[in-house]
Amino acid sequence: MDARPITSRTSPVSPQTGRLSVGQGRRRHTANAGYVLVLPYIAHFLTFVAFPLVFSFVLIFHRWDILSPMQWIGLGNVHRLLHDRLFFRALANTGVFLLIHIPLQIVIALALAVFLNQKLRLRGFFRAIFFLPVVVSGVVTTMLWDSLYAQDTGVLNNVLSSLGLGRVPWLTSPTMAMPSIAIMATWKNVGLYIVLFLVGLQSVPQHLYEAADIEGASPWRKFRHITLPMINPTVVMVVILSTIGGFSLFIEPYIMTGGGPIRSTLSAVLYIYHQAFQFNHMGYAATLGFFFALIVFMVVLLQKRVVEQETGL
Amino acid sequence: MKTSRLRFLRTATKGSLYALLLCWSLVCLYPFVWMLSATVRPEVEIGRLNPIPGKLTLESYRLVFSKIPIARAFANSLFVSFSATAGVLIFTSMIGYALSRLRFRGRDGLFAVVLFTMTLPFQITLIPTYVLMVKFGWNDTYYALIVPYMINAFAIVVFRQYFKSVPQDLLDAARIDGCSDFGILFRIMWPLSVPALITVAILTFMNIWNEVLWPIIVIRKWELMTMPQLVALFAVGGKAEGLLGVRLAAAALLALPIIIAYAFFQRYFIASMATTGLKS
């Protein structure tokens, strides 16, 4: 492996840079090793990132069902997308999901994290239980809630009707279905965000609270004026992570509703999936994917910008 | 007088805190307990709130095993998740080491590329990657389930970060002893980076174990399906014949391995997921 032996034993390494400073040969050897080590990554990147990126751009301009040759249609797919009411419906549905899911998640996760951050016994126990829905597959939680939500036999409605309240059409009414899915997603993910908030809370310097105690500040004031500003970066992160997660909504509507009732839970990814694998519209599905990714990217960027401006970070 | 009131107030706050936390624990746990009990009770009892079954029966599980190749799917999932995780550990630690400890032309550019791929939404590459699988003839093979997952940018960032904190003296000593870069990586960096290895392993394994969208796209043969895919299709398709207990039994079988792993390595699971907040 070594072309040249190390020539000096006294100080082959510069302590500042960590670079071997012996001779040209030694340095070249290190550089070569670097290239060898990154080779698998480069191969993987070219195949599974660079090629798909370029190819999806090519696909935008083609009609293609995979079997027959590709057919150049210029901006036909883009034109179709701009007039595709179902795609915009799917976007709006995803928007509804995010608008319910994100605030609900932040409020519950932050509250529980603040509670858990107190000096309590059983802290680890609670944290472990809250985290359980996070680790379990989305397929499981979806099937589980599908049964809980069932109109006639579901536990939720059985409880409501035994309390003398009416049965709720959780998944069967177009206005309720997406909120029901958002509630379920919140239940599943809250544990993760509790843990992230706990990390954030632990980084708040204790002396700030001590100073506030001396001035006799109430717990709410301490939360509002110390905790909240200090964990702001965590809030931004939670918003961004759950936006990205929410935009990839697929398995829940796929299993529970198939996108219905009346397309009310058709998510963007589900719609792209239908276009590609039910109708074999590869070119159009790639166009949808491209634009949708662009939207996700812009929304996340915008969120970051807005929050950073609000807080002057 | 005043101190006793204060003490009362404090116990009251503590008490209500515990009550609230207990409430949410119940919200988290009850559905799982109910699910397990639904799988071992007769179909007519399932809608009941009380999770204690009146009559025990394993009929639902028997039906699952007779209707779908779930044991095979379990083996597939294990094989796929283990292979991809092994790949991720080896390949991403290699590039993490190169990016943190070696100097070569284009290194910083390469790291920028890694960070760029982290921000890339998967929707953009989904269709072309599927086309690629078709062109490779990888549809309905294990390759489609393993190879695309063998490297991920997040693992690279974790390793790079962790490797940076290993003292340079150790590396120099090894190099003087004639250790190659592969030797340094696997015999010095790896043993010193067990927490990073565990983090990456758990995250990767869990993500691949729970992945559904991609398997649904590239696998059509029943005997090659992963567990979540098989169970999802079982739930959507007509094979369960509307029997709730049977569907939930399939779901329970899918949940069980991860829940058992979680019970043992709970601390590591939580710690590794907490590093998802690591990215800026």
Side-chain angles (χ1 to χ4, degrees):
Chain A
M1 181 120 201
D2 242 341
R4 284 181 204 192
I6 295 165
T7 47
S8 154
R9 281 197 165 262
T10 47
S11 172
V13 179
S14 137
Q16 279 82 34
T17 57
R19 175 167 36 169
L20 282 162
S21 54
V22 191
Q24 206 50 43
R26 182 71 235 187
R27 198 171 303 160
R28 194 176 310 133
H29 161 74
T30 316
N32 287 341
Y35 295 131
V36 173
L37 285 165
V38 300
L39 211 60
Y41 174 74
I42 291 178
H44 188 274
F45 171 80
L46 291 177
T47 321
F48 295 108
V49 183
F51 168 78
L53 271 182
V54 174
F55 193 57
S56 82
F57 192 69
V58 173
L59 275 173
I60 288 179
F61 306 104
H62 290 84
R63 175 181 294 150
W64 193 38
D65 63 357
I66 277 208
L67 304 166
S68 32
M70 290 167 80
Q71 185 190 345
W72 174 270
I73 52 165
L75 288 175
N77 281 324
V78 178
H79 184 261
R80 181 169 163 200
L81 182 146
L82 293 175
H83 294 87
D84 187 347
R85 293 174 69 178
L86 216 47
F87 179 60
F88 288 100
R89 181 73 203 267
L91 280 183
N93 289 339
T94 311
V96 169
F97 175 85
L98 291 176
L99 282 179
I100 298 169
H101 174 58
I102 294 177
L104 199 62
Q105 177 159 270
I106 287 182
V107 170
I108 298 177
L110 188 52
L112 288 168
V114 169
F115 297 160
L116 267 187
N117 202 33
Q118 310 298 316
K119 284 198 180 68
L120 288 178
R121 248 170 278 172
L122 297 175
R123 239 167 72 167
F125 169 77
F126 283 127
R127 201 182 52 168
I129 287 183
F130 296 170
F131 203 71
L132 184 63
V134 180
V135 294
V136 173
S137 157
V139 173
V140 174
T141 52
T142 305
M143 288 172 71
L144 183 50
W145 279 75
D146 196 21
S147 327
L148 294 177
Y149 275 147
Q151 174 86 15
D152 298 322
T153 56
V155 170
L156 281 172
N157 274 347
N158 283 354
V159 172
L160 287 178
S161 69
S162 70
L163 290 173
L165 299 160
R167 289 175 179 270
V168 178
W170 297 104
L171 294 171
T172 44
S173 121
T175 43
M176 274 305 293
M178 202 44 137
S180 297
I181 289 182
I183 290 171
M184 174 185 76
T186 308
W187 172 85
K188 187 184 189 317
N189 294 326
V190 154
L192 172 63
Y193 297 109
I194 290 176
V195 171
L196 295 184
F197 276 130
L198 274 172
V199 175
L201 286 171
Q202 249 126 52
S203 69
V204 180
Q206 277 305 309
H207 67 81
L208 293 178
Y209 292 117
E210 284 155 16
D213 279 335
I214 292 169
E215 290 176 22
S218 68
W220 170 249
R221 279 185 66 100
K222 279 191 279 185
F223 175 75
R224 178 76 192 78
H225 295 288
I226 301 172
T227 311
L228 217 47
M230 292 302 286
I231 61 161
N232 203 287
T234 315
V235 178
V236 179
M237 194 179 70
V238 169
V239 170
I240 289 174
L241 284 177
S242 43
T243 304
I244 294 171
F247 272 129
S248 57
L249 184 71
F250 168 76
I251 196 65
E252 291 83 355
Y254 179 82
I255 290 181
M256 278 183 151
T257 57
I262 328 179
R263 316 269 189 209
S264 62
T265 58
L266 183 73
S267 73
V269 177
L270 188 58
Y271 184 57
I272 295 172
Y273 173 83
H274 284 325
Q275 284 296 337
F277 304 106
Q278 284 193 338
F279 310 128
N280 278 340
H281 295 159
M282 287 301 157
Y284 188 50
T287 311
L288 290 171
F290 199 92
F291 274 83
F292 185 57
L294 219 62
I295 292 169
V296 176
F297 202 73
M298 278 176 354
V299 168
V300 167
L301 220 63
L302 192 76
Q303 284 173 336
K304 231 183 133 195
R305 184 72 56 81
V306 167
V307 181
E308 276 168 5
Q309 251 169 16
E310 293 264 298
T311 56
L313 276 172
Chain B
M1 178 70 195
K2 207 173 171 199
T3 51
S4 75
R5 232 181 81 190
L6 238 151
R7 194 176 303 150
F8 169 75
L9 244 153
R10 202 170 298 151
T11 7
T13 345
K14 270 264 157 83
S16 44
L17 268 186
Y18 276 112
L20 278 167
L21 293 173
L22 221 65
C23 272
W24 189 260
S25 310
L26 211 68
V27 172
C28 286
L29 274 183
Y30 174 77
F32 289 110
V33 175
W34 174 84
M35 171 174 79
L36 281 179
S37 92
T39 62
V40 294
R41 70 207 311 188
E43 193 74 15
V44 285
E45 280 189 22
I46 286 177
R48 293 186 195 159
L49 180 65
N50 177 5
I52 298 162
K55 206 178 118 207
L56 276 176
T57 164
L58 288 176
E59 183 62 13
S60 294
Y61 286 97
R62 199 189 60 77
L63 280 170
V64 171
F65 280 98
S66 71
K67 280 172 188 293
I68 47 174
I70 194 145
R72 176 66 196 258
F74 175 72
N76 289 340
S77 272
L78 268 187
F79 173 65
V80 165
S81 309
F82 268 115
S83 323
T85 305
V88 166
L89 289 179
I90 293 168
F91 293 132
T92 64
S93 69
M94 277 164 60
I95 178 171
Y97 170 64
L99 288 178
S100 62
R101 286 321 184 102
L102 297 177
R103 276 170 184 271
F104 53 94
R105 196 187 294 252
R107 186 184 77 170
D108 297 336
L110 199 63
F111 185 54
V113 168
V114 172
L115 290 180
F116 163 73
T117 57
M118 267 177 93
T119 61
L120 213 62
F122 75 90
Q123 293 90 352
I124 202 170
T125 50
L126 187 69
I127 305 296
T129 312
Y130 168 72
V131 172
L132 203 65
M133 295 293 118
V134 175
K135 292 289 165 205
F136 285 175
W138 281 5
N139 272 22
D140 278 324
T141 69
Y142 288 118
Y143 294 118
L145 294 173
I146 298 171
V147 180
Y149 287 99
M150 291 248 253
I151 284 178
N152 77 68
F154 183 70
I156 294 172
V157 174
V158 171
F159 276 126
R160 178 178 172 272
Q161 202 81 351
Y162 206 88
F163 288 165
K164 270 189 166 179
S165 64
V166 174
Q168 182 64 33
D169 294 348
L170 279 173
L171 274 70
D172 295 339
R175 194 150 280 164
I176 290 166
D177 288 342
C179 200
S180 72
D181 282 294
F182 277 94
I184 291 177
L185 171 59
F186 293 115
R187 284 162 51 192
I188 296 173
M189 296 305 237
W190 269 44
L192 287 172
S193 314
V194 175
L197 288 162
I198 291 178
T199 298
V200 170
I202 285 187
L203 273 180
T204 315
F205 193 89
M206 231 182 79
N207 284 342
I208 296 170
W209 183 274
N210 290 339
E211 175 68 54
V212 237
L213 176 59
W214 184 245
I216 283 179
I217 289 175
V218 291
I219 303 292
R220 303 278 156 89
K221 281 192 187 142
W222 286 90
E223 62 270 27
L224 281 178
M225 287 184 181
T226 62
M227 223 178 165
Q229 178 189 8
L230 186 72
V231 173
L233 291 179
F234 184 53
V236 175
K239 278 207 171 189
E241 286 153 14
L243 289 171
L244 206 54
V246 183
R247 291 175 49 173
L248 288 173
L253 287 172
L254 168 60
L256 229 50
I258 287 278
I259 291 183
I260 291 170
Y262 178 64
F264 282 104
F265 305 109
Q266 176 248 109
R267 233 158 30 91
Y268 300 107
F269 268 87
I270 295 178
S272 64
M273 293 291 276
T275 51
T276 36
L278 197 140
K279 52 177 167 183
S280 52

